[in-house]
Amino acid sequence: MRSPWGDRRARAAAILAAALLLVAAPGWAGKPERLVVQDPHYGEVLFHFYQKDDFTALTHLMAAQAQSRVSNHELDAELLLGGLNLEYGQHREAGRIFNRLLAQVDDPAIRDRAWFYLGKVRYQRAHFAEAEDALRQVGGKLPRSLAAEYPLLMSQSLMGQGRYDDAAAVLDGWKGPADWTAFARFNLGVAQVRSEDLQAGARALNRVGKMSAPTPELKSLRDKANLALGYAWLQVNDPEAAREALERVRVLGPFSNKALLGVGWADALQAEYRRALVPWLELRDRDLLDSAVQESLLAVPFAYGSLDAHGSAVDAYLAALGAFDAEIFRLDIAIDRARSGELVPALLDADDPEIARWYWQLNAVPSSEDARYLYHLVADHRFQDGLRNYRDLLALYNHLDDWKEKLGAYQDMLDTRAQAYAERMPSVEAHLADVNLEAMHARRDDMVTRLDQIEATRDIAGLADATERQQWELLTELEQSPAWSHPGAAEARDKQRVLKGLLQWKLDREFRRRLWQQRREIASLDAALAEADRRAADVYAAREEIPVELDAYRERIAALRPRLESVQGGVMVALGGQEAALQLFAVRELEAQKERMATYRIQARFALATIYDRASGTVADRGSADQ
Amino acid sequence: MCNKQPWMNCRVAGWCAALMMLALPLAAETVAPPADEPAPVLDEEVQDLKAQVLNLNHELFLLEEELLFPANTQVAVFLSMDIGEYFDLDSVQLKLDGKKVSNYLYTKREVSALHRGGVHQLFLGNVKTGEHELVAVFTGLGPQGRQYRRGASLNFKKDIGAKFVELQITDREIKQQPEFFVREWE
């Protein structure tokens, strides 16, 4: 049984609209919310996240968590990890993270945010009822940016279940940003028209169709709403209401061709064929690739025919046939070129890889003979999204290529370090052998013992300097001389006694100061010895650790290399698949153009033949009447 | 062939249906399948592939940091902004021990990310343990749109662990002037 929402394409349309809205999310900032960052690495992740560089933000967050550098923001970091995975299209991982948080955390604020994101995950997987359930679990106040997004998600989830009235009620009470509301209302209106509730759909589309639109995106949306509304009125045969809506579409906007065609239909439905010719003749001279222009090539002779201007109708049909033939010929050439496989790489030739995914859009095509076909292709969101994915994969491939190059450089660096280590080691070993730290410590201990003895015995001569010691020894030796006791040496003995006394007095007076100085010297020696011990320990440790560290790095590089190759191979395959899909898409689109052109050609020929038949029948009738 | 009115109705109906379908173009890659359909294999494969790349990238990132900027020599300088209404940041020049190590020009998007609370890692490098001097020169537009250039410095001691330094631009409400700080991240 079909769901009330209609088919998958309609649901998909709503999802895309939501995706567009979410893209616009950074624009809904008002005054931005600020967070007090306590861990610099968490702030650094936010720096990339706020610039929509999800890949870098994810990588840095995973690394910061692994290094325990976001401990002050543990739960916020976990929520951010889930949100980033969601933005990066990793729905399963995002769902796992939010479910884990809900199972482990009691904090209501964290739980509300986890439920919100889980709702978003489910919504993006088109699990609309489950998304609604999750969103209804949000009990308290969400941060402002999420609170702004909440009604949008809720209304889209309700629309996904076909509950348009409920969705409309959510949107009516919503004071969100104007562009978000407009997109959601547009989706609602289209869904209601498709479910044959034209009055409700028209109300929603009218609000969008009459809104003030300050930005190009909103102007475009307003045109789309008026176009959809105009054709909806045409379908129920209300040409006047249709004309009113269609005339609001900008004349020079991207939807003007379809609006002009519709205005012509509105006139024609009122049998105002002459008036219908005005927009249709204007259309006829525009680019034939537009389906409205193609339609006008048949509509113009149809109007002439309705006005009984059969000669003009024949001329118009013949002109249409010529235009269709020429276009089919050019399309055949373009199809061949698209099949050659040069299309996709050529489109990204002038790409700037620095532009983040969500900001990126292909706005210019290479100047070539196919340019006018390419403009139609790249205007298609399916092609743009495919191209964006191709670009993503290409960026991943190049990113992995950079890592391969870096790993090579790191391997060289490790080899150089190992070589430098091997070269330096013999001289380091020799140096270590020369330095006998144990002997130094023994000498220091000996010095301390001697100093202690000097202090204990108050050996004042023990602290004498070299000159004083020499003088002391000389004066003491004199006492041992055989001539010392000779009567003629009395004067010398007096002098010796005075000098020794003076020296003794000096040494005694300076004993405390000299002892303190020696103690200080020993303390300084201790510090120097400790530093020498530490450095020696570092050298010994480095001697042991460096080879181990170098080996560990080498092992990590050796283990990462094959993974890098394997993942890059996978990306290459996916890249090829995506390129083939884009190429196929381009070829199919061009073939569809050609087929449409061929169908129009058949219709033109058939109409022409009918006019000729009628004319010849009339002539034959006249002939038989004359006879 | 049908007469005029049904032929025209036929065309109009076809166009209405087509336009309602195309009212919003579809994006095959961003569209999830309905709940009762299994997810496409391609999507699962791409998710797996992206998960593998993310894990690998994270491991390579850690290896790179440990290899090039080991914790015992690592110093990182971060720039943050608190409000920043009186200063429109253009660039920051950084000198470490008298040597220019960074001269960074900020884009509007980066400044906006800083305003929202993002923190930019301006420099990551290696220094020996011991005393160092960091000088930052901020350039931009000050109050009343005048050219503004201010410096701030910090003497810090590098120990065995990684050292994180914060440059902060903040507002001084009373003077209605910006203020610039350099401090060790606590």
Side-chain angles (χ1 to χ4, degrees):
Chain A
M1 188 182 138
R2 283 166 73 93
S3 77
W5 172 244
D7 62 18
R8 185 181 161 191
R9 288 166 68 87
R11 289 201 247 186
I15 289 168
L16 178 72
L20 291 172
L21 295 175
L22 300 181
V23 172
W28 165 241
K31 198 164 184 175
E33 287 168 277
R34 279 192 61 86
L35 176 93
V36 178
V37 172
Q38 290 172 285
D39 294 318
H41 292 88
Y42 184 68
E44 203 263 342
V45 170
L46 290 178
F47 184 70
H48 295 291
F49 169 64
Y50 290 146
Q51 294 177 74
K52 284 277 167 196
D53 185 357
D54 299 331
F55 184 75
T56 309
L58 255 176
T59 304
H60 288 202
L61 181 55
M62 288 162 79
Q65 284 183 318
Q67 292 168 306
S68 306
R69 284 176 168 175
V70 287
S71 50
N72 287 307
H73 300 277
E74 200 180 341
L75 292 175
D76 282 324
E78 208 49 21
L79 274 172
L80 182 60
L81 187 71
L84 281 168
N85 270 292
L86 184 58
E87 292 291 311
Y88 197 58
Q90 300 295 92
H91 300 95
R92 281 178 309 175
E93 184 59 22
R96 264 197 294 272
I97 292 167
F98 295 128
N99 278 313
R100 190 172 65 220
L101 270 171
L102 285 167
Q104 293 173 353
V105 179
D106 293 326
D107 181 346
I110 298 288
R111 291 181 67 80
D112 280 347
R113 283 154 73 187
W115 277 121
F116 171 85
Y117 282 118
L118 199 59
K120 198 165 162 179
V121 172
R122 291 173 180 176
Y123 171 76
Q124 289 193 2
R125 304 305 295 161
H127 294 232
F128 301 118
E130 293 86 344
E132 185 199 346
D133 287 345
L135 292 171
R136 292 207 184 283
Q137 299 287 334
V138 177
K141 265 182 90 173
L142 287 168
R144 194 171 52 181
S145 60
L146 301 191
E149 198 181 331
Y150 180 89
L152 173 76
L153 265 182
M154 180 59 95
S155 65
Q156 296 287 144
S157 301
L158 291 166
M159 275 189 242
Q161 300 170 67
R163 290 161 56 190
Y164 304 126
D165 290 345
D166 293 340
V170 171
L171 290 179
D172 282 340
W174 185 24
K175 300 276 184 267
D179 47 354
W180 289 23
T181 328
F183 274 105
R185 237 180 255 294
F186 174 76
N187 272 358
L188 179 66
V190 170
Q192 285 168 326
V193 170
R194 283 172 53 78
S195 67
E196 295 179 2
D197 186 357
L198 181 58
Q199 293 304 322
R203 269 198 303 279
L205 290 173
N206 243 325
R207 283 181 70 169
V208 183
K210 289 180 177 173
M211 69 181 177
S212 66
T215 64
E217 291 78 20
L218 282 181
K219 282 188 174 74
S220 177
L221 183 72
R222 187 176 59 191
D223 283 349
K224 272 186 180 179
N226 285 319
L227 194 67
L229 186 59
Y231 274 86
W233 286 126
L234 279 179
Q235 198 169 18
V236 294
N237 212 355
D238 188 343
E240 282 183 17
R243 194 173 227 285
E244 190 193 329
L246 290 168
E247 281 179 344
R248 288 199 295 257
V249 177
R250 286 171 301 160
V251 179
L252 296 176
F255 303 101
S256 71
N257 288 353
K258 289 182 177 63
L260 282 172
L261 182 71
V263 169
W265 285 128
D267 293 332
L269 281 172
Q270 292 171 297
E272 294 281 355
Y273 298 111
R274 199 172 294 279
R275 211 163 71 174
L277 272 172
V278 177
W280 286 348
L281 283 171
E282 160 66 28
L283 263 182
R284 197 171 62 162
D285 297 329
R286 294 191 178 187
D287 189 348
L288 193 55
L289 280 182
D290 190 301
S291 51
V293 178
Q294 294 160 11
E295 184 73 29
S296 75
L297 290 184
L298 294 185
V300 167
F302 163 74
Y304 281 135
S306 303
L307 291 166
D308 289 330
H310 297 298
S312 298
V314 167
D315 289 346
Y317 277 127
L318 286 173
L321 279 171
F324 292 142
D325 284 342
E327 196 58 41
I328 286 171
F329 177 74
R330 284 193 290 267
L331 275 165
D332 276 334
I333 296 170
I335 289 167
D336 284 346
R337 271 199 289 264
R339 282 204 175 106
S340 72
E342 293 163 15
L343 177 68
V344 178
L347 282 174
L348 293 177
D349 253 2
D351 183 35
D352 176 3
E354 292 300 310
I355 301 171
R357 182 178 208 273
W358 286 114
Y359 293 102
W360 185 84
Q361 188 164 0
L362 186 70
N363 290 321
V365 298
S367 54
S368 69
E369 292 171 53
D370 300 334
R372 55 194 282 270
Y373 300 110
L374 295 180
Y375 271 112
H376 276 264
L377 264 183
V378 300
D380 192 304
H381 281 257
R382 287 170 294 179
F383 193 77
Q384 282 275 2
D385 277 333
L387 207 54
R388 189 177 283 133
N389 282 329
Y390 177 83
R391 186 177 174 269
D392 273 357
L393 288 167
L394 196 62
L396 285 184
Y397 185 86
N398 290 335
H399 185 77
L400 294 172
D401 230 19
D402 287 346
W403 274 122
K404 265 166 80 175
E405 202 171 310
K406 278 187 187 174
L407 275 191
Y410 297 155
Q411 182 67 57
D412 290 347
M413 199 171 91
L414 289 172
D415 290 346
T416 309
R417 279 190 196 175
Q419 194 183 343
Y421 172 82
E423 283 169 4
R424 274 186 214 154
M425 219 46 226
S427 66
V428 171
E429 296 278 6
H431 202 68
L432 285 173
D434 282 351
V435 179
N436 189 345
L437 271 172
E438 277 183 22
M440 286 184 185
H441 276 284
R443 281 181 63 191
R444 176 261 175 205
D445 293 345
D446 189 41
M447 282 166 64
V448 170
T449 310
R450 275 170 49 208
L451 203 60
D452 289 345
Q453 273 177 356
I454 287 168
E455 188 179 13
T457 58
R458 199 172 171 81
D459 176 10
I460 55 166
L463 295 178
D465 63 22
T467 313
E468 290 164 343
R469 190 170 293 124
Q470 203 181 1
Q471 289 169 346
W472 182 264
E473 281 168 7
L474 186 66
L475 290 168
T476 309
E477 275 170 18
L478 283 174
E479 290 171 5
Q480 308 301 322
S481 166
W484 184 251
S485 50
H486 193 276
E491 192 181 345
R493 279 198 299 274
D494 285 344
K495 277 186 181 174
Q496 185 268 356
R497 186 170 49 81
V498 169
L499 286 172
K500 193 175 179 183
L502 273 172
L503 189 56
Q504 194 168 8
W505 178 80
K506 184 185 172 193
L507 290 173
D508 190 65
R509 191 190 61 179
E510 293 190 2
F511 181 76
R512 299 301 317 166
R513 187 182 66 78
R514 290 185 181 194
L515 189 66
W516 174 82
Q517 208 164 15
Q518 287 302 315
R519 294 277 185 211
R520 203 177 63 167
E521 291 295 327
I522 283 177
S524 154
L525 176 66
D526 282 347
L529 274 174
E531 176 66 14
D533 285 342
R534 193 185 61 74
R535 284 179 187 271
D538 283 352
V539 173
Y540 284 118
R543 193 175 59 174
E544 303 300 320
E545 286 167 8
I546 285 176
V548 177
E549 269 179 19
L550 291 177
D551 281 347
Y553 281 130
R554 280 183 175 138
E555 277 170 25
R556 278 169 77 179
I557 289 176
L560 284 166
R561 269 222 169 99
R563 281 177 62 197
L564 196 55
E565 294 284 352
S566 156
V567 173
Q568 199 182 23
V571 174
M572 186 67 174
V573 170
L575 202 53
Q578 192 68 21
E579 188 177 347
L582 279 171
Q583 190 181 315
L584 188 66
F585 183 92
V587 169
R588 277 190 185 156
E589 280 298 298
L590 292 171
E591 280 177 341
Q593 283 271 9
K594 185 183 159 188
E595 205 174 306
R596 203 160 42 241
M597 217 67 79
T599 308
Y600 278 126
R601 188 168 59 180
I602 291 168
Q603 288 172 354
R605 277 192 183 143
F606 187 77
L608 199 57
T610 309
I611 292 175
Y612 284 146
D613 280 351
R614 278 190 189 154
S616 59
T618 310
V619 172
D621 288 348
R622 270 193 204 145
S624 47
D626 289 346
Q627 281 171 2
Chain B
M1 189 179 166
C2 53
N3 61 28
K4 277 180 206 167
Q5 208 60 26
W7 182 83
M8 204 164 68
N9 285 346
C10 190
R11 311 293 303 175
V12 171
W15 270 85
C16 287
L19 272 175
M20 283 302 152
M21 287 298 226
L22 294 173
L24 277 178
L26 308 178
E29 293 300 321
T30 58
V31 173
D36 50 356
E37 282 179 27
V41 176
L42 184 65
D43 179 52
E44 297 289 319
E45 278 177 9
V46 171
Q47 279 201 52
D48 278 344
L49 204 55
K50 280 185 170 179
Q52 283 181 49
V53 176
L54 278 170
N55 282 323
L56 189 61
N57 199 49
H58 144 241
E59 284 180 48
L60 287 162
F61 182 77
L62 286 177
L63 171 78
E64 183 177 60
E65 189 178 313
E66 286 168 29
L67 194 60
L68 300 184
F69 311 103
N72 54 357
T73 55
Q74 186 185 113
V75 60
V77 180
F78 295 91
L79 178 90
S80 72
M81 207 180 259
D82 186 10
I83 309 173
E85 279 183 10
Y86 302 127
F87 187 66
D88 189 4
L89 177 67
D90 271 345
S91 68
V92 178
Q93 191 189 77
L94 210 59
K95 280 186 179 176
L96 187 57
D97 298 326
K99 190 180 162 195
K100 198 195 306 180
V101 291
S102 175
N103 198 354
Y104 197 88
L105 272 171
Y106 285 87
T107 64
K108 289 282 172 206
R109 195 180 295 162
E110 287 171 331
V111 172
S112 164
L114 289 169
H115 277 293
R116 297 179 70 189
V119 177
H120 177 224
Q121 184 176 282
L122 187 59
F123 171 70
L124 180 65
N126 295 303
V127 292
K128 288 180 182 171
T129 50
E131 296 294 333
H132 297 277
E133 186 197 31
L134 185 77
V135 177
V137 178
F138 305 84
T139 313
L141 292 178
Q144 282 93 47
R146 282 174 303 174
Q147 278 294 331
Y148 213 89
R149 187 178 159 88
R150 288 288 183 278
S153 66
L154 174 78
N155 291 310
F156 67 92
K157 189 181 175 196
K158 172 73 178 75
D159 295 318
I160 289 173
K163 172 70 72 184
F164 304 137
V165 177
E166 178 189 19
L167 311 179
Q168 195 189 41
I169 301 169
T170 184
D171 285 346
R172 193 159 185 203
E173 294 286 343
I174 299 169
K175 287 190 171 180
Q176 299 209 326
Q177 292 284 324
E179 277 191 308
F180 305 91
F181 296 105
V182 189
R183 58 181 156 224
E184 292 179 44
W185 200 294
E186 290 163 10

